[in-house]
Amino acid sequence: LFYPRDDVECENEFWGLLGGKPIKIKAASEAPPDDDIDDKKATDSIKLFEISNAEGEMKQIEISERPLERKMLNTNETYILVLDNDVYVWNGRKSNLEEKRASFENAKNIITSLNKRKETRVVRIYEDAEDTYFKSFFKGFIRVSQFVSESTYKEEEDKVNVDYALLHKKTQNYVEGIMENMFEMKNLKMKVFVVMNKELVEISSKEYGNFFENECYVIDLVYTKPNNREFRTVYYWLGQ
């Protein structure tokens, strides 16, 4: 952020919006690394509890093992994932009614015991119907599709150091190959738009394949058939 330092009025307005100019401004080198603070804070604030009556009585057991993994969620039990602003109640497919009821009540008690805001929401989700945000906290939920050949994909869980630009390029070539071979589409030209304020805004090809659930998209395909006639197909994708 830059402003003309020789303009006193501008400088006063700038600091006024921030609540006043401090007596001393620390140098950037004096500040601790933001990423380290945020990562540690985020890790420390996340808690996972198992709610189970498998041994005859209802128990709430905190799971301290890290990192969190998908395999920690037992289909026979219920779990509570505590985040900074949200609390998730995860119901396994084979969990019983008593566990489901107890997990929801326990989630509300946890909000009180951890002095969280009263507005903290409790979200109930079910096995195999988890949202992306919940999945992002567990290793083993999200798979990466790795291109292998024109007819095969290999699924690898939590692959690190993935070259997503190369992966995207290979995937795009693969899709174009399918279009040409299966649907006889040649000279394929594609544009993708996101709907913003009732207007179509074209997005960069680097963002193709990323669809956000709260957005709507329009995909415009122009191609030629073997008879050299040009065709156009328009698809739309509606988020939740």
Side-chain angles (χ1 to χ4, degrees):
L1 180 62
F2 298 93
Y3 62 87
R5 292 178 179 273
D6 55 346
D7 188 332
V8 177
E9 184 178 346
C10 181
E11 182 173 357
N12 291 338
E13 181 182 0
F14 172 82
W15 288 113
L17 293 172
L18 297 178
K21 185 176 181 178
I23 298 175
K24 179 184 178 182
I25 302 177
K26 292 184 178 181
S29 58
E30 299 179 62
D34 291 340
D35 291 343
D36 293 345
I37 293 177
D38 292 341
D39 290 345
K40 186 176 187 306
K41 181 180 178 182
T43 301
D44 292 345
S45 63
I46 297 173
K47 296 182 181 296
L48 180 67
F49 299 90
E50 178 184 271
I51 310 299
S52 173
N53 60 2
E55 297 180 359
E57 60 177 316
M58 197 66 67
K59 292 183 179 181
Q60 176 178 297
I61 305 169
E62 183 171 359
I63 298 175
S64 57
E65 184 180 348
R66 294 294 184 274
L68 297 178
E69 298 189 32
R70 168 64 181 87
K71 62 185 179 182
M72 293 177 178
L73 304 176
N74 186 337
T75 188
N76 297 300
E77 314 296 355
T78 61
Y79 294 83
I80 300 173
L81 177 68
V82 182
L83 306 175
D84 283 338
N85 300 314
D86 301 290
V87 174
Y88 278 92
V89 174
W90 185 90
N91 293 153
R93 284 182 173 272
K94 298 181 181 179
S95 59
N96 57 58
L97 183 59
E98 289 75 17
E99 290 172 334
K100 292 175 181 176
R101 288 175 175 171
S103 61
F104 199 80
E105 288 301 317
N106 285 26
K108 292 190 288 186
N109 293 335
I110 288 173
I111 291 176
T112 302
S113 64
L114 295 179
N115 295 318
K116 288 189 170 291
R117 297 181 298 108
K118 292 182 179 180
E119 296 80 12
T120 301
R121 64 173 186 165
V122 179
V123 183
R124 187 193 297 273
I125 57 175
Y126 293 87
E127 184 177 1
D128 297 331
E130 302 89 350
D131 59 30
T132 304
Y133 187 61
F134 177 87
K135 291 178 179 179
S136 68
F137 292 94
F138 292 83
K139 180 180 179 181
F141 252 122
I142 301 175
R143 293 173 175 267
V144 175
S145 296
Q146 181 185 21
F147 180 88
V148 177
S149 69
E150 289 190 355
S151 58
T152 321
Y153 273 90
K154 181 181 179 182
E155 296 286 351
E156 293 190 6
E157 293 187 357
D158 304 295
K159 187 175 179 63
V160 296
N161 298 324
V162 177
D163 186 340
Y164 286 99
L166 179 61
L167 177 62
H168 168 72
K169 183 61 179 176
K170 289 182 176 180
T171 304
Q172 186 176 19
N173 292 340
Y174 173 67
V175 172
E176 289 178 355
I178 291 178
M179 293 291 192
E180 183 171 341
N181 295 330
M182 294 183 62
F183 304 103
E184 296 183 324
M185 292 181 178
K186 295 184 178 181
N187 302 319
L188 180 66
K189 297 176 183 178
M190 178 169 61
K191 290 184 178 181
V192 180
F193 303 85
V194 62
V195 180
M196 299 182 66
N197 298 322
K198 299 182 180 180
E199 298 287 340
L200 293 180
V201 178
E202 186 174 358
I203 66 175
S204 167
S205 61
K206 294 180 180 179
E207 299 180 47
Y208 287 1
N210 297 320
F211 292 84
F212 296 91
E213 63 179 10
N214 59 335
E215 304 286 3
C216 298
Y217 297 84
V218 175
I219 303 168
D220 180 26
L221 296 179
V222 178
Y223 52 92
T224 56
K225 288 282 192 174
N227 58 9
N228 292 324
R229 288 185 58 190
E230 187 173 88
F231 290 82
R232 165 173 265 130
T233 303
V234 178
Y235 296 93
Y236 61 88
W237 186 91
L238 301 179
Q240 296 180 352

